[in-house]
Amino acid sequence: MKTVLLALALFLPVSAAAEEVVLGLSRNSISIDTTFDGSQILLFGAIKREEAIPVSDLGVVVAIAGPSQPLDVRRKERRFGIWVNVDAVEVDAAPSFYAVATSGPWSETLSQVEDLRHKISIPRAIRSVGAPGGVVDSQSFSDAVIRIRERSGAYQILEGAVEVSEQTLFQTSIDLPANLTEGDYVTRIFLTRDGAVVSRYETIIDVRKVGLERWLFELSRENAFLYGIMSLVIAIAAGWGASAGFRLLRRV
């Protein structure tokens, strides 16, 4: 299990009109190799103040989003004894991974207006512009994407997972699955008071394949023919090896 540590330092200026998030990283990349079985991101931070703590409670929201990609979502129905595709909607962009952690109940930590403005919740992070004229419930297709990816751990809602101590220290952890998509993982930290965002910071965690995984990935993109031939040879060799092994076992 690889661990990525994110060290956060939140600075509160003398002016009471704003709070500013300043983020420092002890490590900002994850390497995916043949032994990679997932990772855990640990986040911890503090708030430096030169004035008294505001009366309103501090809220902290952490959102991590993997690369977004378009995808086709199809709905099947059973007709004449067989399952067939009846409707299809193209979702314009859906994060390959998305996790959002809050310091308290969602409705108390972030208002709907701020969620709409910053697109923090999982439904807001998925962009689906339109659907074919014959599809009247296009939102159900986006809901299906969320439901499926929540089951696999690719989408996570971690309500109350950010621990805040005396409005000064906070920490949380987010698990990343083994089947991470390569790319930039946008990490956003929001400070809220009374449901309103008073400060935000954004940075990138770089997730890349290395070693054999990197070589195979590049080969499949740059020389698909050679990659296909190599895969075929490996499959034949594996089948022959298994057959030879069974023959030896029968003779023993």
Side-chain angles (χ1 to χ4, degrees):
M1 179 71 70
K2 294 179 174 65
T3 302
V4 181
L5 301 180
L6 306 183
L8 310 183
L10 305 183
F11 175 71
L12 181 63
V14 175
S15 172
E19 294 173 295
E20 181 183 0
V21 178
V22 179
L23 175 65
L25 300 177
S26 61
R27 184 177 176 183
N28 59 2
S29 64
I30 299 176
S31 298
I32 301 176
D33 55 19
T34 54
T35 63
F36 182 78
D37 62 352
S39 182
Q40 184 182 66
I41 298 179
L42 303 179
L43 303 99
F44 58 92
I47 301 175
K48 181 180 178 181
R49 293 187 176 89
E50 296 183 5
E51 295 183 347
I53 298 176
V55 176
S56 57
D57 290 335
L58 171 71
V60 180
V61 181
V62 177
I64 300 179
S68 291
Q69 299 174 340
L71 68 154
D72 292 327
V73 183
R74 304 181 186 278
R75 176 163 55 199
K76 292 186 176 182
E77 290 184 3
R78 192 176 182 87
R79 294 184 177 178
F80 306 106
I82 60 174
W83 289 96
V84 295
N85 294 323
V86 293
D87 290 316
V89 170
E90 181 180 358
V91 175
D92 299 274
S96 59
F97 173 85
Y98 198 85
V100 55
T102 66
S103 58
W106 180 265
S107 59
E108 298 177 8
T109 307
L110 189 72
S111 68
Q112 293 185 5
V113 173
E114 294 287 28
D115 183 26
L116 179 62
R117 178 180 302 162
H118 297 280
K119 294 180 173 56
I120 302 173
S121 64
I122 293 177
R124 298 294 184 190
I126 296 177
R127 188 172 73 250
S128 183
V129 176
V135 179
V136 296
D137 57 343
S138 60
Q139 182 59 42
S140 65
F141 289 79
S142 296
D143 294 340
V145 174
I146 296 173
R147 185 169 60 253
I148 292 170
R149 292 190 172 180
E150 282 181 343
R151 291 173 183 170
S152 66
Y155 286 178
Q156 303 173 28
I157 304 174
L158 307 172
E159 208 170 3
V162 181
E163 298 180 12
V164 180
S165 177
E166 299 180 356
Q167 299 198 55
T168 302
L169 304 174
F170 68 88
Q171 64 176 355
T172 190
S173 64
I174 296 177
D175 293 328
L176 301 179
N179 57 340
L180 287 180
T181 299
E182 185 181 41
D184 294 336
Y185 283 62
V186 180
T187 302
R188 297 181 295 166
I189 298 92
F190 299 89
L191 288 183
T192 69
R193 292 193 181 278
D194 295 326
V197 174
V198 296
S199 182
R200 59 167 290 178
Y201 189 89
E202 182 175 308
T203 190
I204 298 294
I205 298 175
D206 186 43
V207 177
R208 300 294 170 188
K209 294 182 174 68
V210 297
L212 180 60
E213 290 284 325
R214 176 82 254 168
W215 182 77
L216 291 174
F217 178 78
E218 292 181 349
L219 181 64
S220 66
R221 295 297 187 272
E222 298 174 3
N223 196 329
F225 177 77
L226 180 58
Y227 179 80
I229 293 297
M230 187 181 68
S231 300
L232 181 61
V233 170
I234 292 175
I236 293 174
W240 179 86
S243 177
F246 281 118
R247 285 198 300 268
L248 288 175
L249 288 175
R250 292 193 189 100
R251 294 176 184 176
V252 174

